Amino acid sequence: MKRQLDTTQKLYTLCMLVQDVPGVLSQVARLFSRKGYNIESLAVGTADLPNTSRITIEIMADDDHARLLSNQLRKLFPVHSVKLLTPQKSIRRELVLYKVRTPDNDTRNAIIQIANIFRANIIDVSVGTLTLAVVGGESKTEGIEKILEEFEVMELVRTGSVALERGQETIYDETKEKGEFNYGKNVL
């Protein structure tokens, strides 16, 4: 059964801690595929705990489906915890690399000025090209991309968003181990 496109859908960020074992990313991605969701952005890296990785996934969904997916992710054996992050309570960043053709000094100087305005790093300089690294939110990366359209962007690559919750809360607050340990204590 195909999912209908819903106008109430918005971008949701799901962060999870998973056991660092072969096949865990495939298992997580299959859950989204089975439910008919396209992963808009995916970033995976090691976490600060040994043998643990952190996966950040962005999807287009409505409120109910985002919560449903979070709950189903929690049921997967290698998943330790899942946090559904809201834009108001989280910080999201991605890395974008742009390789831009610079046929003359005027073009090179213009791109260097653009890089300075957007606080981009020039990470490679060669005869005829400059490579910029931009770290930021969606509005920053879209802004510099729009301006660089005036020039010849030869190549561009994005990492996918990574996210953290603002303030004192962490992804470690709601792990399976804590939930299993406290299960039934509030019943009486």
Side-chain angles (χ1 to χ4, degrees):
M1 182 171 146
K2 276 206 162 186
R3 240 178 358 103
Q4 296 291 325
L5 185 59
D6 190 356
T7 56
T8 61
Q9 288 189 344
K10 56 187 175 187
L11 192 66
Y12 282 91
T13 305
L14 292 152
C15 290
M16 62 199 82
L17 288 177
V18 297
Q19 218 174 347
D20 195 7
V21 294
V24 67
L25 181 58
S26 175
Q27 199 175 352
V28 168
R30 272 195 314 269
L31 181 113
F32 288 92
S33 176
R34 280 194 316 266
K35 299 297 178 188
Y37 285 90
N38 184 42
I39 295 174
E40 303 291 327
S41 171
L42 172 70
V44 182
T46 57
D48 51 341
L49 295 176
N51 303 318
T52 306
S53 292
R54 185 179 177 115
I55 300 175
T56 306
I57 294 179
E58 292 186 333
I59 58 161
M60 293 297 289
D62 59 28
D63 292 336
D64 294 336
H65 286 110
R67 279 192 294 277
L68 177 71
L69 286 166
S70 294
N71 291 336
Q72 290 180 343
L73 285 166
R74 284 183 185 95
K75 293 177 185 177
L76 297 177
F77 179 72
V79 175
H80 294 296
S81 65
V82 178
K83 199 82 167 206
L84 184 60
L85 301 180
T86 61
Q88 302 82 8
K89 292 186 177 184
S90 64
I91 303 165
R92 292 175 46 240
R93 295 291 183 265
E94 77 173 324
L95 167 66
V96 184
L97 301 179
Y98 300 94
K99 184 183 289 187
V100 185
R101 188 174 308 282
T102 56
D104 54 48
N105 282 337
D106 290 338
T107 305
R108 182 180 299 272
N109 290 336
I111 293 171
I112 290 170
Q113 286 180 349
I114 292 167
N116 288 335
I117 290 168
F118 282 91
R119 290 177 288 183
N121 294 320
I122 298 171
I123 57 171
D124 185 55
V125 178
S126 67
V127 177
T129 65
L130 281 176
T131 303
L132 310 176
V134 179
V135 175
E138 194 174 341
S139 60
K140 181 178 180 179
T141 57
E142 285 178 358
I144 193 168
E145 192 169 327
K146 192 170 193 87
I147 291 173
L148 289 176
E149 286 175 359
E150 292 181 30
F151 305 94
E152 185 182 347
V153 176
M154 299 169 59
E155 201 171 5
L156 113 110
V157 64
R158 304 180 105 94
T159 59
S161 291
V162 292
L164 282 176
E165 209 162 16
R166 292 183 185 274
Q168 297 290 323
E169 289 187 45
T170 69
I171 195 164
Y172 303 111
D173 294 340
E174 296 178 15
T175 62
K176 279 184 182 178
E177 290 82 12
K178 283 184 182 178
E180 289 170 0
F181 180 74
N182 292 325
Y183 182 72
K185 287 188 176 181
N186 296 329
V187 175
L188 298 176

PDB file of all heavy atoms in Angstrom, residues 154-169:
ATOM      1  N   MET A 154      31.733  23.420 -10.176  1.00  0.00           N
ATOM      2  CA  MET A 154      32.111  22.205 -10.894  1.00  0.00           C
ATOM      3  C   MET A 154      31.614  20.948 -10.179  1.00  0.00           C
ATOM      4  O   MET A 154      31.289  19.955 -10.821  1.00  0.00           O
ATOM      5  CB  MET A 154      33.631  22.151 -11.045  1.00  0.00           C
ATOM      6  CG  MET A 154      34.195  23.313 -11.825  1.00  0.00           C
ATOM      7  SD  MET A 154      35.988  23.415 -11.720  1.00  0.00           S
ATOM      8  CE  MET A 154      36.482  21.847 -12.391  1.00  0.00           C
ATOM      9  N   GLU A 155      31.601  21.030  -8.857  1.00  0.00           N
ATOM     10  CA  GLU A 155      31.232  19.863  -8.066  1.00  0.00           C
ATOM     11  C   GLU A 155      30.800  20.331  -6.685  1.00  0.00           C
ATOM     12  O   GLU A 155      31.288  21.340  -6.183  1.00  0.00           O
ATOM     13  CB  GLU A 155      32.463  18.961  -7.943  1.00  0.00           C
ATOM     14  CG  GLU A 155      32.194  17.553  -7.609  1.00  0.00           C
ATOM     15  CD  GLU A 155      33.451  16.682  -7.727  1.00  0.00           C
ATOM     16  OE1 GLU A 155      34.552  17.202  -7.972  1.00  0.00           O
ATOM     17  OE2 GLU A 155      33.300  15.481  -7.524  1.00  0.00           O
ATOM     18  N   LEU A 156      29.876  19.567  -6.084  1.00  0.00           N
ATOM     19  CA  LEU A 156      29.462  19.862  -4.725  1.00  0.00           C
ATOM     20  C   LEU A 156      29.088  18.562  -4.041  1.00  0.00           C
ATOM     21  O   LEU A 156      28.609  17.632  -4.680  1.00  0.00           O
ATOM     22  CB  LEU A 156      28.306  20.870  -4.720  1.00  0.00           C
ATOM     23  CG  LEU A 156      26.927  20.491  -4.272  1.00  0.00           C
ATOM     24  CD1 LEU A 156      26.686  21.210  -2.954  1.00  0.00           C
ATOM     25  CD2 LEU A 156      25.891  20.974  -5.258  1.00  0.00           C
ATOM     26  N   VAL A 157      29.349  18.492  -2.722  1.00  0.00           N
ATOM     27  CA  VAL A 157      29.026  17.300  -1.949  1.00  0.00           C
ATOM     28  C   VAL A 157      28.540  17.742  -0.570  1.00  0.00           C
ATOM     29  O   VAL A 157      29.051  18.695  -0.004  1.00  0.00           O
ATOM     30  CB  VAL A 157      30.232  16.331  -1.856  1.00  0.00           C
ATOM     31  CG1 VAL A 157      31.392  16.945  -1.109  1.00  0.00           C
ATOM     32  CG2 VAL A 157      29.837  15.021  -1.236  1.00  0.00           C
ATOM     33  N   ARG A 158      27.503  17.039  -0.076  1.00  0.00           N
ATOM     34  CA  ARG A 158      26.922  17.325   1.243  1.00  0.00           C
ATOM     35  C   ARG A 158      27.077  16.105   2.136  1.00  0.00           C
ATOM     36  O   ARG A 158      26.960  14.982   1.680  1.00  0.00           O
ATOM     37  CB  ARG A 158      25.432  17.623   1.115  1.00  0.00           C
ATOM     38  CG  ARG A 158      25.070  18.718   0.200  1.00  0.00           C
ATOM     39  CD  ARG A 158      23.557  18.888   0.183  1.00  0.00           C
ATOM     40  NE  ARG A 158      23.186  20.055   0.936  1.00  0.00           N
ATOM     41  CZ  ARG A 158      23.009  21.245   0.389  1.00  0.00           C
ATOM     42  NH1 ARG A 158      23.148  21.392  -0.902  1.00  0.00           N
ATOM     43  NH2 ARG A 158      22.687  22.274   1.130  1.00  0.00           N
ATOM     44  N   THR A 159      27.260  16.351   3.430  1.00  0.00           N
ATOM     45  CA  THR A 159      27.422  15.233   4.367  1.00  0.00           C
ATOM     46  C   THR A 159      26.104  14.684   4.871  1.00  0.00           C
ATOM     47  O   THR A 159      26.033  13.554   5.303  1.00  0.00           O
ATOM     48  CB  THR A 159      28.210  15.678   5.609  1.00  0.00           C
ATOM     49  OG1 THR A 159      27.505  16.748   6.240  1.00  0.00           O
ATOM     50  CG2 THR A 159      29.608  16.093   5.257  1.00  0.00           C
ATOM     51  N   GLY A 160      25.067  15.480   4.888  1.00  0.00           N
ATOM     52  CA  GLY A 160      23.852  15.126   5.614  1.00  0.00           C
ATOM     53  C   GLY A 160      23.915  15.799   6.967  1.00  0.00           C
ATOM     54  O   GLY A 160      24.991  16.081   7.492  1.00  0.00           O
ATOM     55  N   SER A 161      22.775  16.090   7.531  1.00  0.00           N
ATOM     56  CA  SER A 161      22.722  16.841   8.785  1.00  0.00           C
ATOM     57  C   SER A 161      23.076  15.982   9.984  1.00  0.00           C
ATOM     58  O   SER A 161      22.746  14.806  10.038  1.00  0.00           O
ATOM     59  CB  SER A 161      21.312  17.401   8.998  1.00  0.00           C
ATOM     60  OG  SER A 161      21.059  18.401   8.047  1.00  0.00           O
ATOM     61  N   VAL A 162      23.738  16.613  10.943  1.00  0.00           N
ATOM     62  CA  VAL A 162      23.927  16.040  12.272  1.00  0.00           C
ATOM     63  C   VAL A 162      23.219  16.983  13.227  1.00  0.00           C
ATOM     64  O   VAL A 162      23.058  18.172  12.950  1.00  0.00           O
ATOM     65  CB  VAL A 162      25.419  15.865  12.647  1.00  0.00           C
ATOM     66  CG1 VAL A 162      26.069  14.806  11.783  1.00  0.00           C
ATOM     67  CG2 VAL A 162      26.171  17.169  12.548  1.00  0.00           C
ATOM     68  N   ALA A 163      22.754  16.470  14.347  1.00  0.00           N
ATOM     69  CA  ALA A 163      21.963  17.301  15.254  1.00  0.00           C
ATOM     70  C   ALA A 163      22.198  16.917  16.704  1.00  0.00           C
ATOM     71  O   ALA A 163      22.486  15.764  17.018  1.00  0.00           O
ATOM     72  CB  ALA A 163      20.475  17.147  14.922  1.00  0.00           C
ATOM     73  N   LEU A 164      22.059  17.905  17.569  1.00  0.00           N
ATOM     74  CA  LEU A 164      22.104  17.741  19.020  1.00  0.00           C
ATOM     75  C   LEU A 164      20.967  18.551  19.618  1.00  0.00           C
ATOM     76  O   LEU A 164      20.572  19.578  19.072  1.00  0.00           O
ATOM     77  CB  LEU A 164      23.413  18.283  19.601  1.00  0.00           C
ATOM     78  CG  LEU A 164      24.661  17.452  19.485  1.00  0.00           C
ATOM     79  CD1 LEU A 164      25.855  18.227  20.038  1.00  0.00           C
ATOM     80  CD2 LEU A 164      24.515  16.144  20.200  1.00  0.00           C
ATOM     81  N   GLU A 165      20.489  18.083  20.759  1.00  0.00           N
ATOM     82  CA  GLU A 165      19.452  18.811  21.461  1.00  0.00           C
ATOM     83  C   GLU A 165      20.068  19.978  22.227  1.00  0.00           C
ATOM     84  O   GLU A 165      21.156  19.861  22.773  1.00  0.00           O
ATOM     85  CB  GLU A 165      18.739  17.863  22.433  1.00  0.00           C
ATOM     86  CG  GLU A 165      17.323  18.232  22.666  1.00  0.00           C
ATOM     87  CD  GLU A 165      16.524  17.085  23.250  1.00  0.00           C
ATOM     88  OE1 GLU A 165      17.109  16.127  23.747  1.00  0.00           O
ATOM     89  OE2 GLU A 165      15.303  17.190  23.213  1.00  0.00           O
ATOM     90  N   ARG A 166      19.375  21.102  22.259  1.00  0.00           N
ATOM     91  CA  ARG A 166      19.844  22.267  23.009  1.00  0.00           C
ATOM     92  C   ARG A 166      19.676  22.015  24.514  1.00  0.00           C
ATOM     93  O   ARG A 166      18.849  21.230  24.924  1.00  0.00           O
ATOM     94  CB  ARG A 166      19.037  23.506  22.641  1.00  0.00           C
ATOM     95  CG  ARG A 166      19.253  23.988  21.241  1.00  0.00           C
ATOM     96  CD  ARG A 166      18.474  25.274  20.991  1.00  0.00           C
ATOM     97  NE  ARG A 166      18.577  25.699  19.615  1.00  0.00           N
ATOM     98  CZ  ARG A 166      19.569  26.448  19.130  1.00  0.00           C
ATOM     99  NH1 ARG A 166      20.530  26.854  19.921  1.00  0.00           N
ATOM    100  NH2 ARG A 166      19.589  26.786  17.858  1.00  0.00           N
ATOM    101  N   GLY A 167      20.481  22.696  25.307  1.00  0.00           N
ATOM    102  CA  GLY A 167      20.311  22.649  26.763  1.00  0.00           C
ATOM    103  C   GLY A 167      20.880  21.405  27.404  1.00  0.00           C
ATOM    104  O   GLY A 167      21.808  20.791  26.905  1.00  0.00           O
ATOM    105  N   GLN A 168      20.282  21.017  28.538  1.00  0.00           N
ATOM    106  CA  GLN A 168      20.801  19.944  29.380  1.00  0.00           C
ATOM    107  C   GLN A 168      20.438  18.534  28.907  1.00  0.00           C
ATOM    108  O   GLN A 168      21.096  17.578  29.287  1.00  0.00           O
ATOM    109  CB  GLN A 168      20.284  20.129  30.815  1.00  0.00           C
ATOM    110  CG  GLN A 168      20.760  21.401  31.481  1.00  0.00           C
ATOM    111  CD  GLN A 168      22.242  21.335  31.798  1.00  0.00           C
ATOM    112  OE1 GLN A 168      22.754  20.295  32.164  1.00  0.00           O
ATOM    113  NE2 GLN A 168      22.931  22.452  31.658  1.00  0.00           N
ATOM    114  N   GLU A 169      19.362  18.380  28.141  1.00  0.00           N
ATOM    115  CA  GLU A 169      18.921  17.041  27.740  1.00  0.00           C
ATOM    116  C   GLU A 169      19.893  16.426  26.736  1.00  0.00           C
ATOM    117  O   GLU A 169      20.480  17.123  25.922  1.00  0.00           O
ATOM    118  CB  GLU A 169      17.530  17.102  27.115  1.00  0.00           C
ATOM    119  CG  GLU A 169      16.444  17.397  28.118  1.00  0.00           C
ATOM    120  CD  GLU A 169      15.068  17.277  27.513  1.00  0.00           C
ATOM    121  OE1 GLU A 169      14.828  16.291  26.783  1.00  0.00           O
ATOM    122  OE2 GLU A 169      14.255  18.168  27.763  1.00  0.00           O
TER     123      GLU A 169
END
